[in-house]
């Protein structure tokens, strides 16, 4: 059973339930009225190349954003807005020429727009994960919700990347999550952090969702640790301490974070020295995103203590005012 904590009633599904298994249909397009649904893919290559792809659908419209960062070169960001097609039995979503789909246990990602041509395969190294049933409830009756699940905590990523006619092979590791929300975020949230950290064969995922003043700034957290191809723990007992932050494009992002897990054995992850990759938004419900690459260290209080250097990626999700919720 999940090692859990119960600190606030909104946490009842997210951290007070045993982890629920993920299904292929659960990662597919759900098509709920009034819901914004998004799928996020991230990959880091051995040569330092980093990319992420975010696709979001709302009210019959699809949006996609691709960000590509390469050592010593300008960061490239490209957007698409177009009608979408989607399956409901498994992930198979297309927005313009951008296509993501699940084929067996593998995930395929394609972007063919303008001067950028991306064709990648994500081969999962770990089973999917979500804290509880992945749902945080808000509102007097809990009928407002934010759902976060991670079909791919860590994957081997391979394929090709072509920019302005220059085609190269891509090989590295990656991550994929799925998010759903049915309310303008500022009604309940002041912001959130979502992070990944990799140290040798350890995979650490974490999240912290901060309530607004209506919810007394209450923070709901979750963490996950795996070694090799096996999950070690899943818990809501995470303390997030941001020692320093800076601002880019109106979004505060962490410069140094201390993550302390009240698990057995206790663990700690310190991440610092960030490089901001990109900022921006394709959300219709009030989210803006900033992505950082971090260096850091994972410590586990075993005998003797384990300490491993690694690399992490943190997304600072900022909430913007309600005047832009439904802009197109």
């Amino acid at each position: 059973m999940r090692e859990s904590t119960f600190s606030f009633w909104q946490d009842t599904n997210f951290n007070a339930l045993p982890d629920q298994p993920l299904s292929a249909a659960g990662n597919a397009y759900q098509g709920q009225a009034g819901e914004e649904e998004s799928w996020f893919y991230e990959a880091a290559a051995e040569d330092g190349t980093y990319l992420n792809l975010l696709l979001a659908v709302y009210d019959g419209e699809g949006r996609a954003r691709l960000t590509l960062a390469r050592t010593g070169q300008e960061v490239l960001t490209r957007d698409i807005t177009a009608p979408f097609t989607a399956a409901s039995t498994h992930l198979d979503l297309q927005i313009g020429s951008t296509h993501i789909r699940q084929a067996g246990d593998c995930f395929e990602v394609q972007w063919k727009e303008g001067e950028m041509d991306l064709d990648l395969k994500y081969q999962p190294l770990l089973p999917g994960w979500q804290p509880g049933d992945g749902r945080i409830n808000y509102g007097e009756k809990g009928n407002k919700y934010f759902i976060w699940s991670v079909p791919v905590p860590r994957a081997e990523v391979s394929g090709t990347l072509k920019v302005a006619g220059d085609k190269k092979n891509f090989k590295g590791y990656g991550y994929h999550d799925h998010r759903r929300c049915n309310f303008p975020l500022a009604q309940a949230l002041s912001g959130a952090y979502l992070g990944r950290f990799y140290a040798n064969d350890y995979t650490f995922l974490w999240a912290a969702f901060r309530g607004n003043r209506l919810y007394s700034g209450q923070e709901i957290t979750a963490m996950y640790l795996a070694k090799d191809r096996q999950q070690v723990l899943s818990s809501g007992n995470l303390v997030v301490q941001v020692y320093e932050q800076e601002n880019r494009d109106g979004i505060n992002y962490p410069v140094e974070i201390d993550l302390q897990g009240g698990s057995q054995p206790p663990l700690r992850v310190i991440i610092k020295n960030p490089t901001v990759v990109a900022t921006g938004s394709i959300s219709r419900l009030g989210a803006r995103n900033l992505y950082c690459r971090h260096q850091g260290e994972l410590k586990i209080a075993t005998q003797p203590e384990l300490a491993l250097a690694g690399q992490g990626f943190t997304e600072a999700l900022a909430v913007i005012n309600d005047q832009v919720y439904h802009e197109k």
Side-chain angles (χ1 to χ4, degrees), residues 101-130:
R101 73 184 189 104
Q102 182 173 1
D105 63 349
C106 182
F107 292 80
E108 299 176 351
V109 173
Q110 294 179 333
W111 173 289
K112 300 181 186 299
E113 187 76 21
E115 82 281 27
M116 298 176 68
D117 190 326
L118 179 71
D119 192 344
L120 298 180
K121 291 186 177 181
Y122 283 63
Q123 185 63 52
L125 297 175
L126 292 160
W129 168 75
Q130 62 184 349

Side-chain angles (χ1 to χ4, degrees), residues 84-303:
F84 69 91
T85 59
S88 59
T89 56
H90 65 287
L91 180 60
D92 192 340
L93 173 70
Q94 187 161 358
I95 300 173
S97 59
T98 301
H99 192 191
I100 57 173
R101 73 184 189 104
Q102 182 173 1
D105 63 349
C106 182
F107 292 80
E108 299 176 351
V109 173
Q110 294 179 333
W111 173 289
K112 300 181 186 299
E113 187 76 21
E115 82 281 27
M116 298 176 68
D117 190 326
L118 179 71
D119 192 344
L120 298 180
K121 291 186 177 181
Y122 283 63
Q123 185 63 52
L125 297 175
L126 292 160
W129 168 75
Q130 62 184 349
D133 67 359
R135 173 171 169 151
I136 305 173
N137 298 307
Y138 293 101
E140 292 183 1
K141 298 181 180 180
N143 55 359
K144 300 175 183 178
Y145 57 80
F146 188 102
I147 299 174
W148 175 60
S149 62
V150 185
V152 183
R154 187 170 183 170
E156 290 182 342
V157 182
S158 61
T160 58
L161 170 65
K162 183 166 68 174
V163 181
D166 182 15
K167 186 175 182 179
K168 294 184 177 180
N169 291 329
F170 187 102
K171 183 175 177 59
Y173 58 94
Y175 162 91
H176 159 48
D177 73 27
H178 180 202
R179 309 173 196 183
R180 299 166 55 196
C181 181
N182 71 341
F183 66 94
L185 292 175
Q187 292 181 1
L189 291 175
S190 64
Y193 293 131
L194 296 151
R196 289 72 64 190
F197 186 80
Y198 309 99
N200 293 351
D201 52 0
Y202 282 90
T203 301
F204 179 71
L205 309 180
W206 65 282
F209 298 89
R210 301 185 304 279
N212 61 13
R213 279 192 281 181
L214 178 63
Y215 295 95
S216 305
Q218 178 71 33
E219 191 170 62
I220 296 174
T221 60
M223 66 176 177
Y224 160 99
L225 182 70
K227 184 178 187 294
D228 296 322
R229 301 195 179 203
Q230 183 173 355
Q231 178 178 319
V232 175
L233 69 87
S234 170
S235 175
N237 293 318
L238 177 68
V239 176
V240 179
Q241 294 181 306
V242 179
Y243 292 133
E244 184 182 354
Q245 61 182 9
E246 294 182 1
N247 187 283
R248 173 76 66 87
D249 296 341
I251 302 175
N252 290 328
Y253 66 93
V255 174
E256 183 174 356
I257 313 176
D258 190 340
L259 305 165
Q260 297 185 42
S263 55
Q264 291 300 326
L267 65 81
R268 184 179 188 184
V269 176
I270 298 174
I271 50 181
K272 53 188 176 181
N273 302 324
T275 299
V276 176
V277 178
T279 64
S281 175
I282 59 172
S283 171
R284 295 271 299 282
L285 292 183
R288 296 185 67 214
N289 314 83
L290 181 146
Y291 303 99
C292 287
R293 186 200 310 254
H294 288 272
Q295 300 301 315
E297 185 176 49
L298 166 68
K299 295 182 178 181
I300 302 178
T302 52
Q303 295 294 331

Side-chain angles (χ1 to χ4, degrees), residues 43-51 68-73 161 168-173 293 311:
E46 296 170 346
D47 64 0
T49 299
Y50 168 88
L51 63 87
L68 171 65
R70 295 167 294 174
T71 303
Q73 299 186 56
L161 170 65
K168 294 184 177 180
N169 291 329
F170 187 102
K171 183 175 177 59
Y173 58 94
R293 186 200 310 254
Q311 178 174 239

